[in-house]
Amino acid sequence: MIPYGRQEITQHDVDAVVEVLQSDFLTQGPKVPLFEQTVANHVGVRFGVAVNSATSALHIACAALGLTEGDWLWTSPITFVASANCGLYCGAQIDFVDIDPATYNLCPLALERKLKQAEGEGRLPKVVVAVHLCGQSCDMEAIHRLAQRYQFHIIEDASHAIGGKYQSEFVGCGRYSDITVFSFHPVKIVTTGEGGMAVTNDPELAASMELLRSHGITRDPERMTHPPDGPWYYQQVNLGFNYRMTELQAALGVSQMARLDDFVARRHELAQRYERLLADLPITLPCQNPDTYSGFHLYVIRLRLKELNNSHRQVFESLRDQGIGVNLHYIPVHTQPYYAAMGFSPEDFPEAMRYYNEAIGLPMFHGLTIEQQDTVVGALKQALAQ
Ligand SMILES: *Cc1c(COP(=O)(O)O)cnc(C)c1O
């Protein structure tokens, strides 16, 4: 089976992890701050807070922004469930904004319509999570303009987009958002096994997320609400979690980050090759907004079903039967039973449903060989021709 995604591990990565195993610190040592600095420097932002997953990063980002009971969080229905669940962890309610039919990202026009309506009903969102699907940035300038008008915070869920750019700046630089979150799960562009990071330019948000990642405990007298009892003293000042990243993970992350440009360049090569080889098929290829340089975490095609005899499901099954590990990112979150029980119905977000009925994610990862890519293309032609 050719998988849809796979990590790329070198001897240098292995050595970096082994070195930590032989060192004094497996957690809470020097590698985590080094990884935070490495990511922050690369994307051009002031602070990084490394945690054990992007899900945790989304949670502490929402909490640091003060999201709580009675608040609303809005996001795209075409995302991993974590982009919405983070709001529920904070006691907020969730709503969705339909996707742009060309980029499949949260649609700024749909957002504006929904904000106008919500304003009248007194239920404006406190946080909007903008998900950079497949690695292509959302139209952040438009979303940011709306944030100023309607006073909401923006979290960029850049789990797919590290190394990608928007208006010539790296995703994560924070020009149009409060906090950006990256994922380092093994299928993503850079991996630490499990892991995530929240980056921000705001020192208060960074300090707040650092507390939340580790039980709400501080050893910094400046952050304490009461004077310390003595040199042994630490103080819990709010309710945090244990979301810490280990030193092993951080060392792997530092080693991987050195190859980030190469990772993204290779994904672009593969994307361009797909574009050439798939040009004449009855499918819609990914559309790139000229303001963006995608991270290309995923390569999603859409079937033009009217031109095909086969159904979406049949094409998908045929590819799997031929050993191609295609996937469908994502099942619209509002149709998940857990969310449907809150009152959403599929037709609430028609563009998301159209996408769901046509999308297929083809293999896309650094180590995908030209021969494997040709096999994928051959299998797809076969699956479409039936
Ligand atoms: C992978 C992913 C997450 C969650 O990342 P973890 O590191 O596995 O917690 C969140 N949002 C999106 C869009 C993702 O793809």
Side-chain angles (χ1 to χ4, degrees):
M1 192 71 118
I2 301 174
Y4 81 87
R6 191 183 196 287
Q7 71 275 14
E8 183 76 10
I9 301 293
T10 62
Q11 189 59 44
H12 189 271
D13 293 337
V14 173
D15 293 344
V17 174
V18 170
E19 186 195 312
V20 169
L21 282 169
Q22 293 165 336
S23 76
D24 291 333
F25 297 101
L26 300 188
T27 187
Q28 293 175 288
K31 295 297 186 192
V32 166
L34 176 63
F35 183 41
E36 290 170 341
Q37 261 317 303
T38 303
V39 171
N41 289 347
H42 191 102
V43 307
V45 69
R46 285 180 71 192
F47 306 101
V49 180
V51 286
N52 57 1
S53 71
T55 304
S56 301
L58 286 163
H59 180 188
I60 62 172
C62 288
L65 289 168
L67 188 75
T68 186
E69 242 167 86
D71 292 332
W72 287 89
L73 177 146
W74 292 4
T75 190
S76 166
I78 300 298
T79 186
F80 185 56
V81 291
S83 317
N85 287 346
C86 56
L88 297 179
Y89 298 154
C90 296
Q93 284 176 275
I94 309 301
D95 206 347
F96 300 94
V97 179
D98 210 352
I99 60 169
D100 177 297
T103 64
Y104 321 145
N105 277 329
L106 184 146
C107 172
L109 293 175
L111 176 61
E112 184 165 18
R113 272 195 303 274
K114 198 175 174 93
L115 286 164
K116 275 188 186 141
Q117 194 183 346
E119 190 176 38
E121 296 163 3
R123 32 153 285 179
L124 284 168
K126 183 166 202 165
V127 170
V128 169
V129 177
V131 183
H132 304 321
L133 193 74
C134 303
Q136 172 168 228
S137 174
C138 294
D139 184 352
M140 291 309 299
E141 195 175 355
I143 296 170
H144 182 252
R145 207 178 306 120
L146 292 169
Q148 290 183 309
R149 162 77 177 80
Y150 292 96
Q151 295 296 302
F152 56 83
H153 297 294
I154 302 174
I155 298 173
E156 294 177 69
D157 183 344
S159 295
H160 299 181
I162 196 164
K165 291 182 180 170
Y166 177 69
Q167 295 179 346
S168 311
E169 289 182 301
F170 278 112
V171 168
C173 73
R175 179 166 309 279
Y176 296 115
S177 66
D178 298 280
I179 298 171
T180 300
V181 166
F182 298 117
S183 171
F184 306 118
H185 181 278
V187 296
K188 308 289 164 73
I189 296 169
V190 163
T191 190
T192 61
E194 295 278 1
M197 196 179 294
V199 299
T200 182
N201 287 310
D202 182 331
E204 285 306 313
L205 287 177
S208 169
M209 290 192 291
E210 272 172 31
L211 274 177
L212 287 162
R213 130 178 101 180
S214 196
H215 309 283
I217 285 175
T218 182
R219 289 189 154 76
D220 176 1
E222 303 252 309
R223 300 235 147 241
M224 293 183 184
T225 55
H226 296 74
D229 289 353
W232 60 85
Y233 198 62
Y234 60 84
Q235 197 167 85
Q236 183 184 346
V237 295
N238 63 24
L239 183 62
F241 311 91
N242 180 353
Y243 283 168
R244 292 188 305 263
M245 173 179 273
T246 67
E247 291 284 289
L248 290 79
Q249 292 168 306
L252 177 56
V254 171
S255 179
Q256 290 252 311
M257 280 299 291
R259 307 200 303 284
L260 174 57
D261 293 341
D262 174 46
F263 285 164
V264 176
R266 173 65 179 163
R267 288 169 180 272
H268 272 261
E269 270 172 35
L270 291 167
Q272 279 162 16
R273 206 160 173 274
Y274 268 138
E275 196 168 290
R276 233 179 21 252
L277 297 172
L278 303 178
D280 299 325
L281 298 176
I283 58 178
T284 303
L285 299 179
C287 152
Q288 301 303 307
N289 173 342
D291 268 354
T292 65
Y293 175 76
S294 180
F296 267 121
H297 165 51
L298 300 173
Y299 193 87
V300 173
I301 61 164
R302 284 176 68 165
L303 307 184
R304 297 207 297 260
L305 290 168
K306 287 194 188 110
E307 301 168 40
L308 290 168
N309 295 322
N310 263 345
S311 69
H312 180 233
R313 187 195 175 114
Q314 283 167 330
V315 173
F316 191 97
E317 276 175 349
S318 163
L319 284 162
R320 283 272 177 97
D321 290 345
Q322 295 178 78
I324 314 299
V326 287
N327 227 313
L328 209 177
H329 297 95
Y330 290 92
I331 302 159
V333 178
H334 70 288
T335 68
Q336 292 288 354
Y338 191 79
Y339 280 88
M342 298 172 196
F344 295 108
S345 47
E347 59 274 19
D348 291 345
F349 307 102
E351 286 300 339
M353 294 313 289
R354 271 193 277 281
Y355 169 92
Y356 179 52
N357 291 324
E358 299 171 359
I360 296 180
L362 301 182
M364 171 55 93
F365 54 95
H366 185 272
L368 184 71
T369 66
I370 296 302
E371 294 72 33
Q372 284 177 317
Q373 195 181 25
D374 287 341
T375 303
V376 173
V377 170
L380 179 61
K381 286 182 176 166
Q382 166 88 12
L384 292 171
Q386 275 165 16

